[in-house]
Amino acid sequence: MKPVIDVISLGGTIAMKDKSGSAGVVPTLSGDDLVQAVPQLAEIAVIGTHSPCNVPSAHLTFEDIFNVASKIRMLAQEGSAGFVITQGTDTIEETAYALDLLLSLEVPVVVTGAMRNPTKQGADGPANILAAVQVAVEPAAKSLGSLVVFNDEIHSAQFVRKTHTSNPSTFRSDPLGPIGWLAEDEVRIHLEPKSRPVLGSSEFDNDVRVAIIKLGLGDDGRLIDAAVTAGYSGLVIEGLGGGHASVSAADALERACAKIPVVLASRTGAGEVLTSTYGFVGSEIDLLSKGLISAGRLDGCRARVLLTLLLCSKETSVENIADAFLSHGTQ
């Protein structure tokens, strides 16, 4: 008996075509359209399709992802053996990581998309959907958390990042690399991500807003003050190097920490935020002593996702947030 795999289509490049009145391609194709373009899927599984929205991934919201997580839980209870989410690539790493934090299921959850829309020669959407479904029916993928399957590579949501604006091999998982791949339609999984705490099924809170600010040379800190004044619930700072800031930005961050949770990540996108190396004003030692919370190895985008979900679950104390970032960012 073939397993049931549910494909949840959210739009994105994989679903885009030319449309009258538009200067470029826009989301047009439904989940049914995407599945019908890959007839081999019928040989692998019974495919269910769902199209809760059809938007570019830049338009997706946290509320959309909470709704997708709820839909997945419901379908899992009804007997679905796995899930494939198709969407635009711009926010895949954030969507996959949010689902990784929200879901604790013994079924695969795979996110995929395309870099070349269906009007292009060599469009990669059909191949990526086929590979994603092949991973979704693979028993070894059941306990790996959310996955991103792209270009015949299998990536953990905990590490994957988009690294190129247009190349089909855009997704990388530094420093580990992909946890597996597909070869001649066979799924090979050679690494298992370390188990991670799951935040569970907290409801989306529309009042929760987290800003992300990247620091630069001579930063005067005014954007930090403005974010607090604007009423943001939390703030993620992408600091210089190992987690550093100018003197003015450090002063602004100290003011911000007195009012909202502030998480310190690195703008480099690789490595961990340092904790005990540099001692100048605006160094990681100085900023952490002012009350900033270390993101550990999490980049700014993942830190923002984690902080948002924590605040939605009413984990608002600095101590609880710091403990969560310790679990997810350094362990």
mmCIF file of all heavy atoms in Angstrom, residues 33-51:
data_model
loop_
_atom_site.group_PDB
_atom_site.id
_atom_site.type_symbol
_atom_site.label_atom_id
_atom_site.label_comp_id
_atom_site.label_asym_id
_atom_site.label_seq_id
_atom_site.Cartn_x
_atom_site.Cartn_y
_atom_site.Cartn_z
ATOM 1 N N ASP A 33 -1.456 21.706 -9.814
ATOM 2 C CA ASP A 33 -0.662 21.938 -11.025
ATOM 3 C C ASP A 33 0.760 21.412 -10.861
ATOM 4 O O ASP A 33 1.317 20.786 -11.769
ATOM 5 C CB ASP A 33 -0.614 23.436 -11.346
ATOM 6 C CG ASP A 33 -1.967 24.023 -11.698
ATOM 7 O OD1 ASP A 33 -2.783 23.292 -12.290
ATOM 8 O OD2 ASP A 33 -2.199 25.195 -11.378
ATOM 9 N N LEU A 34 1.361 21.694 -9.707
ATOM 10 C CA LEU A 34 2.747 21.272 -9.471
ATOM 11 C C LEU A 34 2.866 19.754 -9.460
ATOM 12 O O LEU A 34 3.810 19.179 -10.020
ATOM 13 C CB LEU A 34 3.250 21.849 -8.148
ATOM 14 C CG LEU A 34 3.331 23.380 -8.053
ATOM 15 C CD1 LEU A 34 3.834 23.795 -6.673
ATOM 16 C CD2 LEU A 34 4.230 23.950 -9.138
ATOM 17 N N VAL A 35 1.920 19.093 -8.838
ATOM 18 C CA VAL A 35 1.959 17.627 -8.743
ATOM 19 C C VAL A 35 1.704 16.988 -10.102
ATOM 20 O O VAL A 35 2.360 16.002 -10.489
ATOM 21 C CB VAL A 35 0.945 17.140 -7.691
ATOM 22 C CG1 VAL A 35 0.738 15.631 -7.794
ATOM 23 C CG2 VAL A 35 1.416 17.521 -6.297
ATOM 24 N N GLN A 36 0.767 17.530 -10.859
ATOM 25 C CA GLN A 36 0.451 16.957 -12.168
ATOM 26 C C GLN A 36 1.617 17.065 -13.141
ATOM 27 O O GLN A 36 1.723 16.283 -14.090
ATOM 28 C CB GLN A 36 -0.781 17.650 -12.746
ATOM 29 C CG GLN A 36 -2.070 17.287 -12.029
ATOM 30 C CD GLN A 36 -3.261 18.119 -12.472
ATOM 31 O OE1 GLN A 36 -3.191 18.852 -13.467
ATOM 32 N NE2 GLN A 36 -4.357 18.018 -11.735
ATOM 33 N N ALA A 37 2.525 17.996 -12.895
ATOM 34 C CA ALA A 37 3.699 18.145 -13.756
ATOM 35 C C ALA A 37 4.763 17.088 -13.487
ATOM 36 O O ALA A 37 5.760 17.022 -14.207
ATOM 37 C CB ALA A 37 4.298 19.540 -13.573
ATOM 38 N N VAL A 38 4.551 16.270 -12.442
ATOM 39 C CA VAL A 38 5.522 15.223 -12.082
ATOM 40 C C VAL A 38 4.784 13.888 -12.002
ATOM 41 O O VAL A 38 4.456 13.395 -10.910
ATOM 42 C CB VAL A 38 6.209 15.540 -10.734
ATOM 43 C CG1 VAL A 38 7.415 14.623 -10.530
ATOM 44 C CG2 VAL A 38 6.644 16.988 -10.657
ATOM 45 N N PRO A 39 4.471 13.253 -13.134
ATOM 46 C CA PRO A 39 3.672 12.018 -13.126
ATOM 47 C C PRO A 39 4.319 10.871 -12.352
ATOM 48 O O PRO A 39 3.618 9.970 -11.881
ATOM 49 C CB PRO A 39 3.523 11.680 -14.613
ATOM 50 C CG PRO A 39 4.592 12.463 -15.316
ATOM 51 C CD PRO A 39 4.804 13.684 -14.507
ATOM 52 N N GLN A 40 5.660 10.915 -12.190
ATOM 53 C CA GLN A 40 6.331 9.833 -11.446
ATOM 54 C C GLN A 40 5.886 9.761 -9.987
ATOM 55 O O GLN A 40 6.057 8.728 -9.329
ATOM 56 C CB GLN A 40 7.846 10.028 -11.492
ATOM 57 C CG GLN A 40 8.435 10.070 -12.885
ATOM 58 C CD GLN A 40 8.642 11.496 -13.357
ATOM 59 O OE1 GLN A 40 7.739 12.329 -13.227
ATOM 60 N NE2 GLN A 40 9.833 11.776 -13.894
ATOM 61 N N LEU A 41 5.321 10.839 -9.469
ATOM 62 C CA LEU A 41 4.897 10.844 -8.066
ATOM 63 C C LEU A 41 3.871 9.759 -7.789
ATOM 64 O O LEU A 41 3.833 9.191 -6.691
ATOM 65 C CB LEU A 41 4.325 12.216 -7.689
ATOM 66 C CG LEU A 41 5.292 13.396 -7.721
ATOM 67 C CD1 LEU A 41 4.556 14.684 -7.378
ATOM 68 C CD2 LEU A 41 6.449 13.180 -6.747
ATOM 69 N N ALA A 42 3.013 9.470 -8.766
ATOM 70 C CA ALA A 42 1.963 8.468 -8.577
ATOM 71 C C ALA A 42 2.536 7.075 -8.337
ATOM 72 O O ALA A 42 1.855 6.208 -7.770
ATOM 73 C CB ALA A 42 1.036 8.456 -9.788
ATOM 74 N N GLU A 43 3.773 6.846 -8.762
ATOM 75 C CA GLU A 43 4.410 5.552 -8.546
ATOM 76 C C GLU A 43 4.970 5.420 -7.130
ATOM 77 O O GLU A 43 5.294 4.312 -6.690
ATOM 78 C CB GLU A 43 5.542 5.354 -9.556
ATOM 79 C CG GLU A 43 5.098 5.466 -11.014
ATOM 80 C CD GLU A 43 6.274 5.483 -11.966
ATOM 81 O OE1 GLU A 43 7.409 5.223 -11.503
ATOM 82 O OE2 GLU A 43 6.069 5.757 -13.165
ATOM 83 N N ILE A 44 5.092 6.555 -6.435
ATOM 84 C CA ILE A 44 5.755 6.571 -5.132
ATOM 85 C C ILE A 44 4.766 6.626 -3.986
ATOM 86 O O ILE A 44 4.938 5.952 -2.967
ATOM 87 C CB ILE A 44 6.695 7.792 -5.035
ATOM 88 C CG1 ILE A 44 7.720 7.774 -6.169
ATOM 89 C CG2 ILE A 44 7.399 7.826 -3.680
ATOM 90 C CD1 ILE A 44 8.519 9.056 -6.261
ATOM 91 N N ALA A 45 3.715 7.423 -4.144
ATOM 92 C CA ALA A 45 2.810 7.676 -3.030
ATOM 93 C C ALA A 45 1.445 8.125 -3.526
ATOM 94 O O ALA A 45 1.277 8.482 -4.704
ATOM 95 C CB ALA A 45 3.407 8.763 -2.118
ATOM 96 N N VAL A 46 0.498 8.095 -2.618
ATOM 97 C CA VAL A 46 -0.796 8.737 -2.855
ATOM 98 C C VAL A 46 -0.622 10.198 -2.440
ATOM 99 O O VAL A 46 -0.318 10.487 -1.286
ATOM 100 C CB VAL A 46 -1.914 8.075 -2.040
ATOM 101 C CG1 VAL A 46 -3.230 8.826 -2.232
ATOM 102 C CG2 VAL A 46 -2.054 6.613 -2.424
ATOM 103 N N ILE A 47 -0.778 11.095 -3.385
ATOM 104 C CA ILE A 47 -0.461 12.500 -3.138
ATOM 105 C C ILE A 47 -1.730 13.298 -2.853
ATOM 106 O O ILE A 47 -2.674 13.303 -3.646
ATOM 107 C CB ILE A 47 0.267 13.133 -4.337
ATOM 108 C CG1 ILE A 47 1.530 12.329 -4.689
ATOM 109 C CG2 ILE A 47 0.614 14.583 -4.043
ATOM 110 C CD1 ILE A 47 2.608 12.350 -3.632
ATOM 111 N N GLY A 48 -1.734 13.971 -1.709
ATOM 112 C CA GLY A 48 -2.767 14.952 -1.416
ATOM 113 C C GLY A 48 -2.201 16.344 -1.643
ATOM 114 O O GLY A 48 -1.010 16.568 -1.420
ATOM 115 N N THR A 49 -3.015 17.261 -2.120
ATOM 116 C CA THR A 49 -2.520 18.617 -2.386
ATOM 117 C C THR A 49 -3.348 19.650 -1.635
ATOM 118 O O THR A 49 -4.564 19.510 -1.482
ATOM 119 C CB THR A 49 -2.551 18.941 -3.890
ATOM 120 O OG1 THR A 49 -3.890 18.833 -4.376
ATOM 121 C CG2 THR A 49 -1.649 18.000 -4.660
ATOM 122 N N HIS A 50 -2.665 20.689 -1.182
ATOM 123 C CA HIS A 50 -3.293 21.768 -0.427
ATOM 124 C C HIS A 50 -2.609 23.060 -0.843
ATOM 125 O O HIS A 50 -1.383 23.124 -0.936
ATOM 126 C CB HIS A 50 -3.141 21.549 1.078
ATOM 127 C CG HIS A 50 -3.471 20.158 1.506
ATOM 128 N ND1 HIS A 50 -4.720 19.783 1.932
ATOM 129 C CD2 HIS A 50 -2.710 19.018 1.555
ATOM 130 C CE1 HIS A 50 -4.727 18.499 2.234
ATOM 131 N NE2 HIS A 50 -3.507 18.008 2.011
ATOM 132 N N SER A 51 -3.393 24.100 -1.080
ATOM 133 C CA SER A 51 -2.843 25.400 -1.494
ATOM 134 C C SER A 51 -3.414 26.504 -0.614
ATOM 135 O O SER A 51 -4.288 27.268 -1.041
ATOM 136 C CB SER A 51 -3.163 25.667 -2.972
ATOM 137 O OG SER A 51 -2.619 24.668 -3.806
#
